[in-house]
Amino acid sequence: DRALLAVLLYHGLRREEAAQLRVSDIQERRGIKHLQIHGKGGKLRYLPLHPTAAERIYAYLERSGRHQDDVQEPLFVPLRGRSTGTGITANGIYAMVGSYAKAAGINVAGLGVHGLRATAATNALEHEADIAKVQAWLGHANISTTRIYDRRQLRPEDSPTFKVNY
């Protein structure tokens, strides 16, 4: 769960994108580990693998008894219950995120994986990522979609009210 949550929060993936990941989607490009993401409309994008996410993925693979050599295997498989050999589903990811939110006492209507995606985008923008790069990172065709994910304007402390100075 920690590895999957890290992938979601450090890479801003859709739940379907995370569910489709295979071990072979961890690739080295120019000396840096990347995730190959199979996005909407069959579009591929490559995201540098965040060090924390990488650490958690490799720990997960080791503890699950799986290996990086199992390249065609789904990256994330359910470890509880009966083993089916299939990866976690998008709905399984949704349920997992919801259960952790509930356990943490977070009761926000509609909170789900997409909220984590918006959190990742806003966090990147708050730390001075260029919005055009965030657009490509999220796999958005149009930058206006990326702007919807930017929750910075919802913070009252950033209101122009507090910028007025006489």
Side-chain angles (χ1 to χ4, degrees):
D1 292 358
R2 290 170 48 98
L4 181 51
L5 288 169
V7 166
L8 294 170
L9 283 164
Y10 284 107
H11 300 94
L13 300 187
R14 297 173 179 98
R15 62 184 173 149
E16 293 83 5
E17 293 170 341
Q20 291 175 12
L21 284 173
R22 301 220 166 273
V23 175
S24 61
D25 289 326
I26 301 172
Q27 301 178 0
E28 192 158 317
R29 297 169 57 94
R30 293 198 263 165
I32 297 174
K33 293 283 188 186
H34 281 70
L35 286 176
Q36 176 181 266
I37 308 300
H38 304 269
K40 276 186 169 180
K43 291 188 237 172
L44 279 180
R45 65 187 193 278
Y46 296 87
L47 305 179
L49 184 57
H50 191 280
T52 301
E55 177 185 308
R56 291 181 182 169
I57 288 170
Y58 293 127
Y60 156 74
L61 289 172
E62 184 177 314
R63 290 191 74 193
S64 69
R66 299 171 63 232
H67 304 282
Q68 290 174 249
D69 302 333
D70 300 333
V71 293
Q72 291 308 314
E73 293 291 317
L75 181 57
F76 297 112
V77 295
L79 297 179
R80 292 182 210 88
R82 191 171 49 97
S83 175
T84 62
T86 61
I88 191 167
T89 65
N91 286 340
I93 293 172
Y94 180 82
M96 182 201 64
V97 169
S99 70
Y100 278 108
K102 185 177 179 180
I106 301 170
N107 295 314
V108 177
L111 176 69
V113 180
H114 226 71
L116 300 182
R117 185 168 159 82
T119 298
T122 300
N123 190 288
L125 292 165
E126 282 178 338
H127 290 93
E128 301 179 18
D130 178 80
I131 194 160
K133 289 182 180 180
V134 173
Q135 173 191 356
W137 183 64
L138 293 173
H140 289 156
N142 192 314
I143 202 160
S144 63
T145 305
T146 308
R147 291 189 206 293
I148 293 168
Y149 284 69
D150 183 1
R151 305 278 168 84
R152 293 176 297 173
Q153 70 272 19
L154 300 178
R155 298 184 316 189
E157 63 271 20
D158 290 339
S159 169
T161 298
F162 300 112
K163 307 298 181 202
V164 175
N165 186 8
Y166 295 104

